[in-house]
Amino acid sequence: MPNPQRLCVFCGGTPVTKEDVWPIWSRRYLPSTQPDYSIMRSILERDRRLHGSVRKLSGDPKSRRVKIVCATCNNGWMSVLQNEAKPLVLPLMNGERTTLNESKQKLIAAWAAMTVICAEYFTAGNATSLVVDRRHLFLRKEAPKRLRIWIGNFRRRKWPAYWVHNSLLISEHETPYPWTIGPGGLPRPNTQITTLTFGNLYLHTFSCPFPEILGSFEPRGTHVVQIWPIREKFIVWPPRATIDDRAADGIAGAIFNRLDAIGVAMRS
Ligand SMILES: [Zn+2]
């Protein structure tokens, strides 16, 4: 799908160049082929019905490249961040013992934010990140405050998903963020819940412009540990609870389903 992005999503520079969302070093933690995957797009408004759609996309998502960043970012800070995060993220992908202090959590969170933001541009019109948050990542090399990130230790058996992306529009009239119109002529969603897996690493993120909503939802169970915003001074890895297929599926859908249920309650 062509992406109309003309300015670098991080620095605003031009021209944009093609970029691999999954760096080469992470590819062996992904399946060699993936026939298709689903995108769920829902619009949930306080005073309206929930409009949802599920679209199946074909092709292997990991071979996708997105044309959304400039060469200066791609070869500069993004490459530096990939290289700095790699020795911290590889033990998680391998399910190895490690410890994560606050500075390591911060670095992994910045890497995760960069990856999740780029992956959102797989589908034109579904990107939810705010310009100020992308600038924050670019300028400070730190994950945005409106993004929560959890990690878990995953043992896959048959769960097919490697990227689950749920996005929705939550409207509140007092919002300081005006709606932006996506390429399809529809308002862009502003809230997303994304799950990405790399080997044993289960990466789960939730972003929303409304702090009260962002802060009041937790993924189900205790299988995942929040690394952003930082909560724990020190995380011993792997955690006691391992994520099996069932938990993987449950966590991926938990927050979205609760937002959906509240939408149902509000319109009844
Ligand atoms: Zn740039």
Side-chain angles (χ1 to χ4, degrees), residues 84-249:
E84 286 179 351
K86 186 178 169 182
L88 305 183
V89 174
L90 279 177
L92 308 179
M93 293 181 180
N94 286 317
E96 291 166 1
R97 286 187 186 191
T98 186
T99 52
L100 303 174
N101 60 17
E102 292 188 27
S103 67
K104 289 179 180 177
Q105 292 175 57
K106 185 181 172 191
L107 183 51
I108 294 168
W111 172 83
M114 177 174 73
T115 305
V116 167
I117 288 170
C118 291
E120 274 208 297
Y121 287 89
F122 285 154
T123 51
N126 271 30
T128 62
S129 61
L130 299 167
V131 173
V132 287
D133 288 344
R134 298 195 299 263
R135 289 286 188 281
H136 178 89
L137 177 60
F138 162 63
L139 294 170
R140 303 191 54 178
K141 317 301 179 273
E142 181 185 280
K145 299 276 183 279
R146 281 177 283 254
L147 178 68
R148 293 177 69 190
I149 303 170
W150 296 265
I151 55 173
N153 187 37
F154 180 36
R155 293 279 165 78
R156 183 189 304 273
R157 286 175 68 90
K158 289 181 177 167
W159 195 54
Y162 290 82
W163 178 54
V164 179
H165 183 246
N166 294 323
S167 64
L168 57 148
L169 173 62
I170 298 177
S171 63
E172 274 195 335
H173 298 301
E174 63 271 28
T175 175
Y177 308 105
W179 306 135
T180 52
I181 303 298
L186 288 167
R188 273 188 191 278
N190 59 5
T191 300
Q192 63 83 32
I193 303 103
T194 299
T195 304
L196 284 160
T197 66
F198 298 85
N200 292 108
L201 173 60
Y202 185 94
L203 182 66
H204 187 64
T205 70
F206 173 32
S207 63
C208 176
F210 308 113
E212 71 281 8
I213 295 174
L214 187 64
S216 58
F217 292 86
E218 298 289 331
R220 203 170 66 180
T222 54
H223 293 82
V224 287
V225 188
Q226 182 172 319
I227 58 162
W228 193 260
I230 292 172
R231 263 187 185 168
E232 314 283 339
K233 281 204 176 308
F234 201 74
I235 295 170
V236 176
W237 200 261
R240 263 187 207 160
T242 299
I243 298 177
D244 59 13
D245 284 359
R246 194 188 155 103
D249 202 53

Side-chain angles (χ1 to χ4, degrees), residues 34 36-40 54-57 163-165:
Q34 186 174 353
D36 53 46
Y37 56 101
S38 300
I39 302 289
M40 185 185 289
V54 178
R55 208 149 50 92
K56 271 227 187 278
L57 299 181
W163 178 54
V164 179
H165 183 246

